[in-house]
Amino acid sequence: NAGVTQTPKFQVLKTGQSMTLQCAQDMNHEYMSWYRQDPGMGLRLIHYSVGAGITDQGEVPNGYNVSRSTTEDFPLRLLSAAPSQTSVYFCASSYSVFEGSYNSPLHFGNGTRLTVT
Amino acid sequence: EDKVVQSPLSLVVHEGDTVTLNCSYEVTNFRSLLWYKQEKKAPTFLFMLTSSGIEKKSGRLSSILDKKELSSILNITATQTGDSAIYLCALVPQGGSEKLVFGKGTKLTVNP
């Protein structure tokens, strides 16, 4: 029973490097999202998707790209890493989010701890 | 400007104490309010509240929503060291937007 799987668990990058954080879910969830968590800041939404082929920006999208080619996968790309992107990243998913039917809690992955030096 | 405000930000208690965590919000029209517990890794779901005045209960934990006061509380009775965690509150907005808004969390430490 995998749920939401994030890889890698830890990553260290140098400023300017690029990388992709992977997120996969096996629950056939339509809604997927990426959050970053920083001390004292809570969880902040980066990008989200309500279905394959559909993505939208959250609260802090700058410096990140996403795509949703399949229902299962929602990778987060850092094109040119900066020290300000040092954080713990969480992927989360849930069932259909259409008006009137969204009534299920988010399921979170175990997070990726990213350090940018 | 924070739409979801949790208080206190941190709390230290002794085993056996009862604690009350608060979540206040500014949005008047929303679908539901969620509570999560976060230990070392992923937040885990505790409660979903949609109706005012109806208490949700799970063991020693309970939560209630007060739409008149624009707030929710999470109560933990007879606390144990295993209750030490960050407790997160989140608002699910109305209108088709799926931008859940999380509070900054309350860090609870339960000492033996």
Side-chain angles (χ1 to χ4, degrees):
Chain A
N1 197 10
V4 180
T5 303
Q6 288 185 238
T7 56
K9 292 182 181 178
F10 302 95
Q11 183 71 49
V12 179
L13 292 177
K14 293 185 178 179
T15 297
Q17 286 185 317
S18 63
M19 80 157 295
T20 299
L21 307 185
Q22 301 291 346
C23 175
Q25 52 88 11
D26 61 358
M27 298 173 281
N28 202 30
H29 284 170
E30 292 187 17
Y31 179 79
M32 297 186 74
S33 54
W34 277 101
Y35 288 86
R36 60 178 289 174
Q37 187 174 36
D38 303 293
M41 298 297 291
L43 284 163
R44 292 184 292 170
L45 182 65
I46 305 172
H47 285 284
Y48 66 97
S49 168
V50 297
I54 306 169
T55 63
D56 205 347
Q57 296 182 348
E59 181 184 357
V60 288
N62 292 340
Y64 308 95
N65 279 352
V66 291
S67 60
R68 186 93 178 270
S69 56
T70 66
T71 299
E72 295 77 21
D73 300 299
F74 190 45
L76 178 73
R77 297 184 186 85
L78 283 73
L79 299 178
S80 178
S84 61
Q85 293 178 306
T86 293
S87 187
V88 179
Y89 292 85
F90 287 99
C91 178
S93 71
S94 70
Y95 287 112
S96 172
V97 296
F98 291 111
E99 184 71 30
S101 64
Y102 179 77
N103 199 31
S104 66
L106 287 177
H107 300 261
F108 284 86
N110 282 329
T112 295
R113 185 175 292 276
L114 175 68
T115 302
V116 182
T117 61
Chain B
E1 186 178 345
D2 292 343
K3 292 183 179 179
V4 179
V5 178
Q6 292 187 244
S7 63
L9 290 180
S10 67
L11 187 58
V12 180
V13 300
H14 292 288
E15 266 191 320
D17 288 350
T18 293
V19 298
T20 298
L21 310 182
N22 294 281
C23 176
S24 299
Y25 52 87
E26 297 180 359
V27 179
T28 55
N29 198 19
F30 62 95
R31 291 179 188 169
S32 60
L33 186 145
L34 310 176
W35 281 98
Y36 285 85
K37 176 184 181 181
Q38 185 180 21
E39 295 175 86
K40 293 187 178 179
K41 294 185 176 178
T44 54
F45 173 72
L46 293 175
F47 298 111
M48 174 185 286
L49 304 168
T50 54
S51 300
S52 191
I54 298 175
E55 184 182 54
K56 292 280 183 88
K57 197 170 173 66
S58 177
R60 295 176 294 102
L61 277 67
S62 64
S63 184
I64 195 163
L65 180 64
D66 187 339
K67 289 189 175 182
K68 186 177 179 182
E69 295 296 325
L70 303 183
S71 67
S72 174
I73 60 171
L74 175 68
N75 279 322
I76 308 175
T77 60
T79 53
Q80 302 171 357
T81 55
D83 294 326
S84 295
I86 296 173
Y87 291 84
L88 297 163
C89 163
L91 216 57
V92 181
Q94 270 288 8
S97 168
E98 303 312 328
K99 296 182 181 180
L100 275 73
V101 181
F102 278 87
K104 293 181 180 178
T106 293
K107 183 177 181 180
L108 174 66
T109 303
V110 182
N111 291 325

